[in-house]
């Protein structure tokens, strides 16, 4: 009996990996999400205060877009809090990797760097990262579980 319990506990611990959830991608889909220094075997990406975090979204749009805008929210206890980012216009940010017009059906990579400020609270949050086209449709919408420490 004890051996069965240990195996179940080990299995549950092994399956508690970071899960990137699609939250409404309608004009494309994400193929891969990369977060700097994120231990994918943990239940959430741990972001250390006083450091920079980088995100990579690899996605494929299903329609052409002339503009791509990044919109970021933090969800804490079902409250959606906007999080302004320095370079929301992905096509005009030389570091994002997105070139517009964005063709349909072509794999694309978006990259952003964000400071994790020391003044941020120690909190677990779901980050909702959206890439929107010129009409406001979500090319990509991904939820990322994060722990700020």
């Amino acid at each position: 009996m004890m051996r069965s319990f240990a195996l179940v506990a080990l299995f549950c611990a092994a399956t508690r990996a970071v899960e990137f959830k699609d939250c409404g991608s309608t004009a494309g889909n994400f193929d891969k999400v990369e977060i700097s220094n994120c231990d994918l075997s943990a239940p959430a990406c741990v972001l250390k205060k006083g450091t920079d975090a980088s995100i990579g979204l690899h996605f494929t749009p299903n329609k052409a877009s002339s503009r791509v805008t990044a919109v970021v929210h933090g969800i804490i206890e079902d409250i959606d809090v906007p999080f302004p980012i320095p370079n929301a216009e992905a096509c005009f940010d030389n570091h994002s990797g997105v070139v517009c017009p964005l063709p349909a059906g072509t794999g694309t990579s978006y990259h952003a760097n964000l400071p994790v400020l020391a003044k941020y609270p120690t909190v677990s949050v779901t980050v909702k990262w959206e890439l929107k086209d010129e009409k406001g449709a979500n090319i990509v919408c991904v939820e990322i579980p994060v722990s700020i420490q």
Side-chain angles (χ1 to χ4, degrees):
M1 178 71 163
M2 190 63 156
R3 188 180 305 160
S4 296
F5 177 76
L7 286 173
V8 169
L10 181 61
F11 177 76
C12 288
T15 59
R16 297 252 340 174
V18 174
E19 182 179 336
F20 303 115
K21 179 181 167 191
D22 188 296
C23 53
S25 302
T26 57
N29 62 332
F30 68 90
D31 307 309
K32 184 177 176 183
V33 178
E34 295 175 317
I35 310 282
S36 63
N37 303 318
C38 179
D39 178 2
L40 295 178
S41 66
C45 288
V46 175
L47 302 181
K48 300 285 186 187
K49 294 178 190 181
T51 66
D52 288 340
S54 63
I55 183 170
L57 294 176
H58 306 279
F59 66 98
T60 304
N62 59 26
K63 65 177 193 166
S65 299
S66 61
R67 181 177 177 199
V68 178
T69 306
V71 178
V72 181
H73 289 87
I75 303 170
I76 303 172
E77 296 186 22
D78 295 327
I79 298 173
D80 205 345
V81 180
F83 184 84
I85 59 173
N87 298 310
E89 294 296 327
C91 297
F92 301 113
D93 177 13
N94 292 334
H95 303 293
S96 78
V98 177
V99 177
C100 290
L102 189 63
T106 301
T108 304
S109 293
Y110 164 83
H111 298 281
N113 291 311
L114 296 173
V116 182
L117 301 179
K119 68 181 181 180
Y120 288 169
T122 299
V123 66
S124 291
V125 61
T126 299
V127 174
K128 180 169 76 172
W129 203 293
E130 301 165 281
L131 296 180
K132 295 183 174 279
D133 68 11
E134 67 278 1
K135 295 180 182 173
N138 278 338
I139 301 169
V140 174
C141 181
V142 62
E143 290 183 351
I144 305 161
V146 169
S147 176
I148 298 175
Q149 299 179 1

